[in-house]
Amino acid sequence: MTKPQFAELPSRGVIRVSGADAHHFLQNLITADMEEIDKKGAGFGALLTPQGKILFDFLILKDGDAYLLDTPAETLADLAKRLTFYRLRSKVEIADASTDLCVFACWNGTPPTDLPGVQAEDPRLGALGWRVIGEVGSVKTAFEASGFAEASDADYAAHRIALGVPEGIADYAYSDVFPHDADMDQLGGVSFSKGCYVGQEVVSRVHHRGTARKRIIRVSSDAALPASGTEITADGKVVGTLGSIAPDLSASGTGGTLGLALVRLDKAAAALKNGTPFQCGSNQVTLSLPEWAGFGWPEETAGDD
């Protein structure tokens, strides 16, 4: 039996959104439904451009009357600044809480009930495990006392990649992709019923027309995959771009590499139908849909962008 693991995620930071208008402020701004987050204690969402592309993505954990945004540390200051821009006269406080709070992930086990801090099952996919936000020393001590083995940020990334779950910056550049491209509609990151938010009209149109042609899917190779950003081709034609990669550590792994890639599904489907191999750098690779995916390979190819 696999031992429960936990990892501190220094690549992530925390923004606290609090105040009398915090719920209403976020509800009118981001893709997630704050009513559902209040009920479940956690959610997944994004702040979009008016044109519907992802500016920032984050997990949200409810902490009393406040909300903790678990987001890439690299862009935390930019997200806080953008949220402040939208605040106007709302009774909302937006603060970088990363000095006092750290983000942890745990998997292969349920966190102990007496774990300090705020915790919730990962709202994107249950198999990812749990998310915990708290003071670093006390959270580590509690995990260790409960028999969890300490892992690294890279170990968690390998776990995430093996499940086919993308993350911003690692797998796509902000301001470049729509939520459907990043599978947010599949992973509970977009509400199609709550009403207006920034970029909502574009996202709703893509969803109801079923016009999403790009998706982030799984890539595997028996050899080491090249750097993120390398093009994936079929018969010399570009079908996608490689995102994050990690060693294949599964029991059935070949010692090769797993990765995620943003792929034109129609072009990839045509190559699969014709038996055309996929290349990434000098390596032959295999493309596959995540097990949780509610989308499939299109039956007919569409025109180029």
Side-chain angles (χ1 to χ4, degrees):
M1 183 176 178
T2 304
K3 189 172 183 178
Q5 294 179 280
F6 79 96
E8 180 186 352
L9 305 181
S11 61
R12 308 289 292 187
V14 182
I15 293 175
R16 179 186 292 275
V17 180
S18 59
D21 294 338
H23 173 105
H24 182 72
F25 170 72
L26 291 171
Q27 180 75 337
N28 291 334
L29 192 60
I30 67 174
T31 60
D33 187 346
M34 298 304 299
E35 297 291 342
E36 290 298 311
I37 290 173
D38 283 351
K39 292 176 184 176
K40 298 176 180 178
F44 173 42
L47 177 62
L48 309 181
T49 68
Q51 295 75 34
K53 293 188 175 182
I54 300 172
L55 266 179
F56 306 95
D57 66 343
F58 35 78
L59 300 179
I60 308 168
L61 273 65
K62 185 171 173 57
D63 181 19
D65 293 330
Y67 302 94
L68 302 178
L69 275 55
D70 163 358
T71 194
E74 182 178 337
T75 53
L76 183 147
D78 292 334
L79 173 55
K81 183 177 180 180
R82 183 57 64 103
L83 291 173
T84 301
F85 172 80
Y86 280 112
R87 182 176 58 186
L88 301 176
R89 296 183 179 179
S90 299
K91 296 178 181 178
V92 174
E93 295 180 6
I94 299 161
D96 180 354
S98 302
T99 301
D100 301 315
L101 300 175
C102 292
V103 178
F104 291 82
C106 70
W107 61 103
N108 298 329
T110 303
T113 54
D114 60 348
L115 189 70
V118 182
Q119 58 183 278
E121 187 173 21
D122 195 302
R124 295 169 295 181
L125 186 70
L128 281 168
W130 289 66
R131 216 66 171 195
V132 180
I133 299 177
E135 190 276 324
V136 60
S138 60
V139 172
K140 278 189 175 183
T141 299
F143 269 127
E144 290 167 351
S146 299
F148 279 73
E150 185 169 5
S152 66
D153 200 336
D155 293 328
Y156 175 72
H159 172 64
R160 174 183 63 79
I161 292 166
L163 290 170
V165 178
E167 284 190 351
I169 300 178
D171 296 299
Y172 55 88
Y174 287 148
S175 301
D176 279 358
V177 303
F178 297 101
H180 286 75
D181 299 340
D183 302 336
M184 288 193 69
D185 61 313
Q186 303 284 305
L187 295 166
V190 182
S191 171
F192 297 101
S193 61
K194 75 166 189 172
C196 293
Y197 53 86
V198 176
Q200 181 265 339
E201 290 185 5
V202 176
V203 174
S204 180
R205 184 163 61 246
V206 170
H207 184 71
H208 292 295
R209 291 182 179 178
T211 54
R213 293 187 294 177
K214 296 179 182 179
R215 289 284 189 180
I216 292 179
I217 63 173
R218 298 175 76 247
V219 183
S220 60
S221 173
D222 291 338
L225 286 167
S228 175
T230 303
E231 292 178 340
I232 297 172
T233 61
D235 194 24
K237 299 177 181 178
V238 177
V239 300
T241 305
L242 185 64
S244 56
I245 61 173
D248 184 357
L249 302 177
S250 65
S252 59
T254 60
T257 318
L258 299 177
L260 300 177
L262 181 61
V263 171
R264 270 285 296 264
L265 291 183
D266 53 350
K267 292 182 178 181
L272 286 170
K273 182 178 181 181
N274 295 330
T276 306
F278 298 103
Q279 294 287 134
C280 187
S282 59
N283 298 342
Q284 185 168 321
V285 298
T286 300
L287 302 184
S288 60
L289 305 181
E291 293 181 2
W292 45 260
F295 55 88
W297 297 109
E299 296 182 1
E300 298 181 2
T301 59
D304 290 343
D305 286 327

PDB file of all heavy atoms in Angstrom, residues 244-268:
ATOM      1  N   SER A 244       4.294  21.021 -18.883  1.00  0.00           N
ATOM      2  CA  SER A 244       5.120  20.474 -17.804  1.00  0.00           C
ATOM      3  C   SER A 244       5.407  18.993 -18.020  1.00  0.00           C
ATOM      4  O   SER A 244       4.618  18.272 -18.637  1.00  0.00           O
ATOM      5  CB  SER A 244       4.441  20.704 -16.448  1.00  0.00           C
ATOM      6  OG  SER A 244       3.140  20.147 -16.418  1.00  0.00           O
ATOM      7  N   ILE A 245       6.536  18.533 -17.490  1.00  0.00           N
ATOM      8  CA  ILE A 245       6.958  17.142 -17.645  1.00  0.00           C
ATOM      9  C   ILE A 245       7.436  16.606 -16.296  1.00  0.00           C
ATOM     10  O   ILE A 245       7.796  17.364 -15.394  1.00  0.00           O
ATOM     11  CB  ILE A 245       8.069  16.985 -18.693  1.00  0.00           C
ATOM     12  CG1 ILE A 245       9.321  17.774 -18.287  1.00  0.00           C
ATOM     13  CG2 ILE A 245       7.577  17.429 -20.062  1.00  0.00           C
ATOM     14  CD1 ILE A 245      10.523  17.545 -19.190  1.00  0.00           C
ATOM     15  N   ALA A 246       7.447  15.277 -16.173  1.00  0.00           N
ATOM     16  CA  ALA A 246       7.918  14.622 -14.955  1.00  0.00           C
ATOM     17  C   ALA A 246       8.257  13.178 -15.280  1.00  0.00           C
ATOM     18  O   ALA A 246       7.729  12.600 -16.244  1.00  0.00           O
ATOM     19  CB  ALA A 246       6.847  14.674 -13.865  1.00  0.00           C
ATOM     20  N   PRO A 247       9.132  12.555 -14.502  1.00  0.00           N
ATOM     21  CA  PRO A 247       9.418  11.132 -14.696  1.00  0.00           C
ATOM     22  C   PRO A 247       8.165  10.296 -14.486  1.00  0.00           C
ATOM     23  O   PRO A 247       7.307  10.635 -13.670  1.00  0.00           O
ATOM     24  CB  PRO A 247      10.467  10.819 -13.615  1.00  0.00           C
ATOM     25  CG  PRO A 247      11.030  12.141 -13.223  1.00  0.00           C
ATOM     26  CD  PRO A 247       9.930  13.137 -13.406  1.00  0.00           C
ATOM     27  N   ASP A 248       8.058   9.202 -15.235  1.00  0.00           N
ATOM     28  CA  ASP A 248       6.945   8.277 -15.051  1.00  0.00           C
ATOM     29  C   ASP A 248       7.277   7.367 -13.873  1.00  0.00           C
ATOM     30  O   ASP A 248       8.092   6.456 -13.978  1.00  0.00           O
ATOM     31  CB  ASP A 248       6.739   7.452 -16.322  1.00  0.00           C
ATOM     32  CG  ASP A 248       5.529   6.536 -16.233  1.00  0.00           C
ATOM     33  OD1 ASP A 248       4.896   6.502 -15.164  1.00  0.00           O
ATOM     34  OD2 ASP A 248       5.216   5.865 -17.234  1.00  0.00           O
ATOM     35  N   LEU A 249       6.646   7.626 -12.736  1.00  0.00           N
ATOM     36  CA  LEU A 249       6.938   6.891 -11.506  1.00  0.00           C
ATOM     37  C   LEU A 249       5.891   5.836 -11.183  1.00  0.00           C
ATOM     38  O   LEU A 249       5.931   5.228 -10.108  1.00  0.00           O
ATOM     39  CB  LEU A 249       7.046   7.875 -10.329  1.00  0.00           C
ATOM     40  CG  LEU A 249       8.102   8.981 -10.477  1.00  0.00           C
ATOM     41  CD1 LEU A 249       8.048   9.917  -9.271  1.00  0.00           C
ATOM     42  CD2 LEU A 249       9.499   8.389 -10.640  1.00  0.00           C
ATOM     43  N   SER A 250       4.965   5.597 -12.096  1.00  0.00           N
ATOM     44  CA  SER A 250       3.906   4.626 -11.833  1.00  0.00           C
ATOM     45  C   SER A 250       4.473   3.212 -11.808  1.00  0.00           C
ATOM     46  O   SER A 250       5.544   2.928 -12.352  1.00  0.00           O
ATOM     47  CB  SER A 250       2.821   4.726 -12.912  1.00  0.00           C
ATOM     48  OG  SER A 250       3.335   4.348 -14.178  1.00  0.00           O
ATOM     49  N   ALA A 251       3.716   2.323 -11.157  1.00  0.00           N
ATOM     50  CA  ALA A 251       4.165   0.935 -11.040  1.00  0.00           C
ATOM     51  C   ALA A 251       4.343   0.294 -12.413  1.00  0.00           C
ATOM     52  O   ALA A 251       5.189  -0.574 -12.602  1.00  0.00           O
ATOM     53  CB  ALA A 251       3.156   0.140 -10.212  1.00  0.00           C
ATOM     54  N   SER A 252       3.538   0.752 -13.380  1.00  0.00           N
ATOM     55  CA  SER A 252       3.628   0.204 -14.736  1.00  0.00           C
ATOM     56  C   SER A 252       4.483   1.072 -15.650  1.00  0.00           C
ATOM     57  O   SER A 252       4.534   0.865 -16.849  1.00  0.00           O
ATOM     58  CB  SER A 252       2.222   0.078 -15.336  1.00  0.00           C
ATOM     59  OG  SER A 252       1.580   1.347 -15.375  1.00  0.00           O
ATOM     60  N   GLY A 253       5.142   2.071 -15.069  1.00  0.00           N
ATOM     61  CA  GLY A 253       5.944   2.992 -15.862  1.00  0.00           C
ATOM     62  C   GLY A 253       7.127   2.309 -16.528  1.00  0.00           C
ATOM     63  O   GLY A 253       7.652   1.302 -16.047  1.00  0.00           O
ATOM     64  N   THR A 254       7.557   2.881 -17.626  1.00  0.00           N
ATOM     65  CA  THR A 254       8.651   2.296 -18.407  1.00  0.00           C
ATOM     66  C   THR A 254       9.979   2.949 -18.088  1.00  0.00           C
ATOM     67  O   THR A 254      10.986   2.625 -18.708  1.00  0.00           O
ATOM     68  CB  THR A 254       8.359   2.486 -19.903  1.00  0.00           C
ATOM     69  OG1 THR A 254       8.265   3.899 -20.188  1.00  0.00           O
ATOM     70  CG2 THR A 254       7.044   1.829 -20.291  1.00  0.00           C
ATOM     71  N   GLY A 255       9.967   3.867 -17.118  1.00  0.00           N
ATOM     72  CA  GLY A 255      11.182   4.627 -16.875  1.00  0.00           C
ATOM     73  C   GLY A 255      11.279   5.830 -17.787  1.00  0.00           C
ATOM     74  O   GLY A 255      12.290   6.532 -17.814  1.00  0.00           O
ATOM     75  N   GLY A 256      10.214   6.095 -18.535  1.00  0.00           N
ATOM     76  CA  GLY A 256      10.187   7.228 -19.446  1.00  0.00           C
ATOM     77  C   GLY A 256       9.677   8.489 -18.781  1.00  0.00           C
ATOM     78  O   GLY A 256       9.838   8.685 -17.575  1.00  0.00           O
ATOM     79  N   THR A 257       9.038   9.339 -19.571  1.00  0.00           N
ATOM     80  CA  THR A 257       8.598  10.640 -19.095  1.00  0.00           C
ATOM     81  C   THR A 257       7.131  10.856 -19.425  1.00  0.00           C
ATOM     82  O   THR A 257       6.654  10.449 -20.488  1.00  0.00           O
ATOM     83  CB  THR A 257       9.428  11.765 -19.747  1.00  0.00           C
ATOM     84  OG1 THR A 257      10.790  11.392 -19.770  1.00  0.00           O
ATOM     85  CG2 THR A 257       9.269  13.067 -18.994  1.00  0.00           C
ATOM     86  N   LEU A 258       6.432  11.510 -18.507  1.00  0.00           N
ATOM     87  CA  LEU A 258       5.055  11.934 -18.732  1.00  0.00           C
ATOM     88  C   LEU A 258       5.027  13.444 -18.870  1.00  0.00           C
ATOM     89  O   LEU A 258       5.876  14.147 -18.320  1.00  0.00           O
ATOM     90  CB  LEU A 258       4.164  11.513 -17.575  1.00  0.00           C
ATOM     91  CG  LEU A 258       4.044  10.019 -17.287  1.00  0.00           C
ATOM     92  CD1 LEU A 258       3.179   9.800 -16.045  1.00  0.00           C
ATOM     93  CD2 LEU A 258       3.453   9.287 -18.484  1.00  0.00           C
ATOM     94  N   GLY A 259       4.036  13.943 -19.568  1.00  0.00           N
ATOM     95  CA  GLY A 259       3.905  15.382 -19.698  1.00  0.00           C
ATOM     96  C   GLY A 259       2.483  15.765 -20.057  1.00  0.00           C
ATOM     97  O   GLY A 259       1.605  14.910 -20.229  1.00  0.00           O
ATOM     98  N   LEU A 260       2.259  17.060 -20.113  1.00  0.00           N
ATOM     99  CA  LEU A 260       0.995  17.610 -20.569  1.00  0.00           C
ATOM    100  C   LEU A 260       1.278  18.509 -21.755  1.00  0.00           C
ATOM    101  O   LEU A 260       2.365  19.089 -21.861  1.00  0.00           O
ATOM    102  CB  LEU A 260       0.315  18.403 -19.448  1.00  0.00           C
ATOM    103  CG  LEU A 260      -0.014  17.614 -18.177  1.00  0.00           C
ATOM    104  CD1 LEU A 260      -0.611  18.531 -17.116  1.00  0.00           C
ATOM    105  CD2 LEU A 260      -0.960  16.470 -18.480  1.00  0.00           C
ATOM    106  N   ALA A 261       0.317  18.640 -22.642  1.00  0.00           N
ATOM    107  CA  ALA A 261       0.531  19.462 -23.834  1.00  0.00           C
ATOM    108  C   ALA A 261      -0.779  20.074 -24.293  1.00  0.00           C
ATOM    109  O   ALA A 261      -1.841  19.441 -24.202  1.00  0.00           O
ATOM    110  CB  ALA A 261       1.133  18.632 -24.963  1.00  0.00           C
ATOM    111  N   LEU A 262      -0.696  21.303 -24.766  1.00  0.00           N
ATOM    112  CA  LEU A 262      -1.846  21.973 -25.365  1.00  0.00           C
ATOM    113  C   LEU A 262      -1.890  21.561 -26.835  1.00  0.00           C
ATOM    114  O   LEU A 262      -0.961  21.856 -27.600  1.00  0.00           O
ATOM    115  CB  LEU A 262      -1.706  23.488 -25.236  1.00  0.00           C
ATOM    116  CG  LEU A 262      -2.853  24.331 -25.798  1.00  0.00           C
ATOM    117  CD1 LEU A 262      -4.175  24.020 -25.103  1.00  0.00           C
ATOM    118  CD2 LEU A 262      -2.524  25.822 -25.675  1.00  0.00           C
ATOM    119  N   VAL A 263      -2.954  20.859 -27.217  1.00  0.00           N
ATOM    120  CA  VAL A 263      -3.004  20.178 -28.512  1.00  0.00           C
ATOM    121  C   VAL A 263      -4.256  20.568 -29.285  1.00  0.00           C
ATOM    122  O   VAL A 263      -5.337  20.730 -28.697  1.00  0.00           O
ATOM    123  CB  VAL A 263      -2.977  18.646 -28.296  1.00  0.00           C
ATOM    124  CG1 VAL A 263      -3.248  17.892 -29.587  1.00  0.00           C
ATOM    125  CG2 VAL A 263      -1.641  18.216 -27.699  1.00  0.00           C
ATOM    126  N   ARG A 264      -4.104  20.730 -30.595  1.00  0.00           N
ATOM    127  CA  ARG A 264      -5.257  20.861 -31.483  1.00  0.00           C
ATOM    128  C   ARG A 264      -5.845  19.473 -31.668  1.00  0.00           C
ATOM    129  O   ARG A 264      -5.272  18.617 -32.336  1.00  0.00           O
ATOM    130  CB  ARG A 264      -4.843  21.444 -32.818  1.00  0.00           C
ATOM    131  CG  ARG A 264      -4.875  22.957 -32.924  1.00  0.00           C
ATOM    132  CD  ARG A 264      -6.300  23.523 -33.043  1.00  0.00           C
ATOM    133  NE  ARG A 264      -6.955  23.099 -34.251  1.00  0.00           N
ATOM    134  CZ  ARG A 264      -6.993  23.819 -35.365  1.00  0.00           C
ATOM    135  NH1 ARG A 264      -6.396  24.982 -35.437  1.00  0.00           N
ATOM    136  NH2 ARG A 264      -7.625  23.366 -36.434  1.00  0.00           N
ATOM    137  N   LEU A 265      -7.005  19.219 -31.071  1.00  0.00           N
ATOM    138  CA  LEU A 265      -7.586  17.880 -31.082  1.00  0.00           C
ATOM    139  C   LEU A 265      -7.910  17.396 -32.486  1.00  0.00           C
ATOM    140  O   LEU A 265      -7.748  16.206 -32.792  1.00  0.00           O
ATOM    141  CB  LEU A 265      -8.855  17.856 -30.229  1.00  0.00           C
ATOM    142  CG  LEU A 265      -8.673  18.001 -28.717  1.00  0.00           C
ATOM    143  CD1 LEU A 265     -10.034  17.889 -28.029  1.00  0.00           C
ATOM    144  CD2 LEU A 265      -7.719  16.964 -28.165  1.00  0.00           C
ATOM    145  N   ASP A 266      -8.369  18.290 -33.349  1.00  0.00           N
ATOM    146  CA  ASP A 266      -8.741  17.853 -34.691  1.00  0.00           C
ATOM    147  C   ASP A 266      -7.514  17.391 -35.482  1.00  0.00           C
ATOM    148  O   ASP A 266      -7.534  16.359 -36.160  1.00  0.00           O
ATOM    149  CB  ASP A 266      -9.503  18.946 -35.444  1.00  0.00           C
ATOM    150  CG  ASP A 266      -8.786  20.286 -35.474  1.00  0.00           C
ATOM    151  OD1 ASP A 266      -7.776  20.452 -34.759  1.00  0.00           O
ATOM    152  OD2 ASP A 266      -9.236  21.180 -36.227  1.00  0.00           O
ATOM    153  N   LYS A 267      -6.406  18.128 -35.362  1.00  0.00           N
ATOM    154  CA  LYS A 267      -5.189  17.746 -36.077  1.00  0.00           C
ATOM    155  C   LYS A 267      -4.601  16.459 -35.511  1.00  0.00           C
ATOM    156  O   LYS A 267      -4.116  15.594 -36.260  1.00  0.00           O
ATOM    157  CB  LYS A 267      -4.163  18.878 -35.994  1.00  0.00           C
ATOM    158  CG  LYS A 267      -4.568  20.132 -36.755  1.00  0.00           C
ATOM    159  CD  LYS A 267      -3.480  21.196 -36.676  1.00  0.00           C
ATOM    160  CE  LYS A 267      -3.867  22.430 -37.475  1.00  0.00           C
ATOM    161  NZ  LYS A 267      -2.804  23.464 -37.436  1.00  0.00           N
ATOM    162  N   ALA A 268      -4.632  16.323 -34.185  1.00  0.00           N
ATOM    163  CA  ALA A 268      -4.122  15.107 -33.569  1.00  0.00           C
ATOM    164  C   ALA A 268      -4.983  13.905 -33.932  1.00  0.00           C
ATOM    165  O   ALA A 268      -4.466  12.810 -34.189  1.00  0.00           O
ATOM    166  CB  ALA A 268      -4.071  15.273 -32.053  1.00  0.00           C
TER     167      ALA A 268
END
